[in-house]
Amino acid sequence: MSTLPPLSLYIHIPWCVRKCPYCDFNSHAVKGEIPEAAYVKALLGDLQYEHVAAQGREIETIFIGGGTPSLFSADAIAQILEGANRIIPFSRDIEITMEANPGTFEQERFAGYLKAGVNRLSIGVQSFNQSHLQALGRIHSGDDARKAISAARELGYPHLNIDLMHGLPGQNEEQALYDLETAISLGPDHLSWYQLTIEPNTEFYAKPPIIPRDEILWDIQQAGQALLADAGFQQYEISAYAKGPQARARHNLNYWQFGDYIGIGAGAHGKVSFVQQDLILRRWKQRSPKAYLQSINPLGGEQAIAREDRPFEFMMNVLRLNEGVEEAVFSQRALMPLADIQGSLVSARQRSLLEPSRLQATPQGHLFLNDLLESFIA
């Protein structure tokens, strides 16, 4: 019989100083004072509403994202974490990640976040090049980023991630690799290094910038991966690189391994399994911060993942991982027998897209991932 997967918690803080032109997250530029105390109360009420979904499990990982969570005071973050731990207990070795911007204002709060329980800081650098930062609408400088990363290291954060983009407007290979070399030199144990994509409902979608040609993007990707490997970073997911298994982002791994997660906050999404009912339920919260704060019930909507859609949903996540997962994980997490997708597995393996006896893309499968995923569409 299937057992419940690990449980994570995503906490969404929707405010930022300025909306970036590439951002399609539920983020809102600050207008006036942030209603910090009211939002903390709403978050904990939201988690109380969700607590039955835990089904006896402890929370294994937390990710505080946004927006810009580091606009919240350290006291507010401490209140959120202390309150959450009372509602659904945390595991003893919980990973608590928080996104932070490199601005001086946020840096002053880093010590307080560490004291509050945050043990993994993810700093949104994107680039160290001033012209590229301006093109991305970022309000920090390369020097701000260097200082923020150094400050986090000196404080003793157990794990530190740098978020970095490539394929930026006007960027060449030399500039992209300089960004990567600079990030590596600052000593993080994890790098999220990914290509800029133009998403719908963004300023860049309405007014597309000129980004590097495909052949330049390919050269950047190949050279960057070699640089990261030489520096001791192991790629374990499409855009995630860690200094050894212990540095991997456990929260994101739970997403990619089709684990469960509760989402609280304006626009937050969650996915929870109910094994006895043969049910995998997605929930999302009201997007508008104002509506979320004023509502008695934070729920925006919910939808069960149809049984015929579970194989694609599962594979869309696990095949992002270089190592994939063991075959047994499918029945545990998708709540259906592996035999139900046997035809798709045979077809993918005959085309050399999937490894034998493991749900793992081959090198060719990674190159043609969309083709591989189409094998599992009902």
Side-chain angles (χ1 to χ4, degrees):
M1 190 177 90
S2 296
T3 56
L4 285 168
L7 181 66
S8 294
L9 174 65
Y10 175 71
I11 302 170
H12 191 72
I13 297 177
W15 292 281
C16 54
V17 175
R18 185 170 74 187
K19 181 86 170 178
C20 296
Y22 59 86
C23 178
D24 68 336
F25 296 137
N26 185 37
S27 58
H28 304 262
V30 174
K31 295 176 182 176
E33 191 175 341
I34 295 174
E36 190 178 81
Y39 197 73
V40 170
K41 183 179 179 181
L43 284 172
L44 296 177
D46 191 348
L47 186 59
Q48 188 67 53
Y49 170 84
E50 289 278 5
H51 85 280
V52 292
Q55 301 170 77
R57 291 172 290 182
E58 294 181 331
I59 295 174
E60 304 287 340
T61 68
I62 295 175
F63 195 99
I64 307 171
T68 304
S70 50
L71 291 178
F72 267 40
S73 68
D75 283 347
I77 297 301
Q79 288 169 31
I80 293 166
L81 294 175
E82 288 165 8
N85 192 18
R86 286 194 296 269
I87 297 167
I88 304 176
F90 297 172
S91 68
R92 290 184 64 183
D93 65 340
I94 189 168
E95 173 194 88
I96 303 177
T97 303
M98 180 173 170
E99 290 182 331
N101 272 0
T104 305
F105 177 67
E106 286 90 351
Q107 287 179 46
E108 293 171 354
R109 297 175 166 183
F110 283 5
Y113 299 142
L114 184 63
K115 186 178 178 182
V118 175
N119 52 26
R120 185 174 183 273
L121 202 63
S122 180
I123 300 180
V125 173
Q126 315 314 350
S127 176
F128 293 92
N129 180 303
Q130 196 57 39
S131 65
H132 295 149
L133 287 169
Q134 288 173 352
L136 292 172
R138 305 294 287 175
I139 58 175
H140 67 268
S141 67
D143 279 345
D144 289 336
R146 291 180 183 89
K147 289 174 184 175
I149 295 160
S150 297
R153 287 196 66 201
E154 287 170 14
L155 285 166
Y157 272 90
H159 297 290
L160 178 62
N161 173 63
I162 296 177
D163 218 40
L164 205 63
M165 285 185 180
H166 61 89
L168 308 179
Q171 188 181 55
N172 58 34
E173 182 181 341
E174 183 182 355
Q175 291 168 328
L177 294 181
Y178 171 79
D179 276 349
L180 199 49
E181 288 166 351
T182 302
I184 290 168
S185 73
L186 292 166
D189 64 348
H190 193 283
L191 276 163
S192 299
W193 187 62
Y194 53 95
Q195 185 181 315
L196 170 67
T197 55
I198 309 300
E199 303 287 356
N201 302 315
T202 64
E203 187 180 324
F204 273 178
Y205 189 80
K207 300 174 183 175
I210 298 172
I211 59 175
R213 301 188 309 274
D214 286 348
E215 55 268 30
I216 295 174
L217 294 173
W218 176 256
D219 289 344
I220 290 172
Q221 186 72 37
Q222 295 298 105
Q225 287 186 325
L227 185 65
L228 285 160
D230 288 345
F233 284 89
Q234 302 164 359
Q235 183 183 20
Y236 66 99
E237 188 267 346
I238 289 172
S239 60
Y241 303 79
K243 278 274 185 86
Q246 76 287 347
R248 294 179 179 184
R250 287 168 48 204
H251 185 88
N252 290 342
L253 274 171
N254 194 37
Y255 288 159
W256 296 324
Q257 293 169 347
F258 214 55
D260 279 0
Y261 54 99
I262 291 170
I264 61 172
H269 283 243
K271 173 230 154 207
V272 179
S273 306
F274 297 91
V275 175
Q276 299 299 326
Q277 295 95 323
D278 185 25
L279 177 66
I280 304 176
L281 194 64
R282 291 201 183 279
R283 280 196 179 124
W284 55 94
K285 303 302 166 61
Q286 297 195 44
R287 282 181 61 85
S288 160
K290 184 177 180 181
Y292 178 82
L293 283 166
Q294 293 177 349
S295 177
I296 295 172
N297 184 343
L299 190 64
E302 60 182 18
Q303 184 175 24
I305 302 177
R307 192 176 179 86
E308 62 268 22
D309 294 334
R310 291 181 198 171
F312 176 74
E313 294 256 0
F314 177 89
M315 294 297 181
M316 187 170 59
N317 284 281
V318 302
L319 294 180
R320 292 177 62 96
L321 294 167
N322 284 24
E323 299 168 2
V325 295
E326 295 178 357
E327 288 188 336
V329 176
F330 177 80
S331 57
Q332 293 166 2
R333 304 286 168 90
L335 307 185
M336 56 194 296
L338 187 69
D340 285 11
I341 59 166
Q342 198 60 43
S344 298
L345 295 176
V346 169
S347 172
R349 285 168 175 152
Q350 285 175 343
R351 291 181 290 152
S352 301
L353 299 178
L354 198 67
E355 297 285 358
S357 304
R358 189 172 177 84
L359 304 180
Q360 175 184 356
T362 62
Q364 185 171 334
H366 278 293
L367 289 174
F368 299 97
L369 193 56
N370 287 341
D371 291 343
L372 174 55
L373 289 173
E374 282 176 8
S375 305
F376 300 96
I377 295 176

